[in-house]
Amino acid sequence: MDFTMLFNAFWVGGLFCLLAQILIDKTRMTPARIMVSYVVAGVILTAIGVYEPLVKFAGCGATVPIIGFGYTLAKGVVKAIDESGLLGVLCGGVKGAACGISAAIFFGFVCSLLFKPKAKK
């Protein structure tokens, strides 16, 4: 087991979380806007070629946080454009992230069956 990769994943993922927490505490940004900003940042950083080296350096520390979802969407679009041409722009992101989206839907459904939601007061 490569402990260097584990360490890098831990501190890079933690840095993303720390930045999000600072944005929540020090700005008026809502968590939803921060999440959208992270996804867009992941797409932009992938498009300009900055995020791929970070993924190779930190592994799941760069792909698991929400910014990694933007990376996955962008990589899916690039792959679909290579395979299908311009039509790949419309379907590539969802194809690339299908496994993660499906898992989120499935586990959300399972949790809804196991627990009773309560309204915030």
Side-chain angles (χ1 to χ4, degrees), residues 2-116:
D2 184 13
F3 288 105
T4 306
M5 179 64 92
L6 292 174
F7 179 73
N8 291 339
F10 178 78
W11 77 262
V12 170
L15 198 61
F16 285 135
C17 295
L18 176 67
L19 178 61
Q21 190 63 50
I22 290 170
L23 290 172
I24 289 171
D25 292 342
K26 301 295 182 185
T27 68
R28 293 183 162 265
M29 291 178 73
T30 63
R33 287 181 190 230
I34 294 168
M35 284 181 17
V36 170
S37 299
Y38 265 38
V39 171
V40 171
V43 170
I44 292 170
L45 292 174
T46 302
I48 61 174
V50 174
Y51 208 76
E52 185 73 31
L54 184 62
V55 169
K56 289 180 181 170
F57 174 74
C60 65
T63 58
V64 171
I66 193 71
I67 195 168
F69 183 66
Y71 165 75
T72 303
L73 290 174
K75 294 301 281 184
V77 168
V78 169
K79 182 178 178 186
I81 288 173
D82 290 341
E83 295 172 356
S84 306
L86 193 56
L87 186 61
V89 172
L90 301 174
C91 62
V94 176
K95 242 186 211 178
C99 184
I101 294 169
S102 298
I105 291 170
F106 174 75
F107 289 115
F109 176 70
V110 169
C111 286
S112 73
L113 294 176
L114 297 176
F115 303 101
K116 293 186 179 191

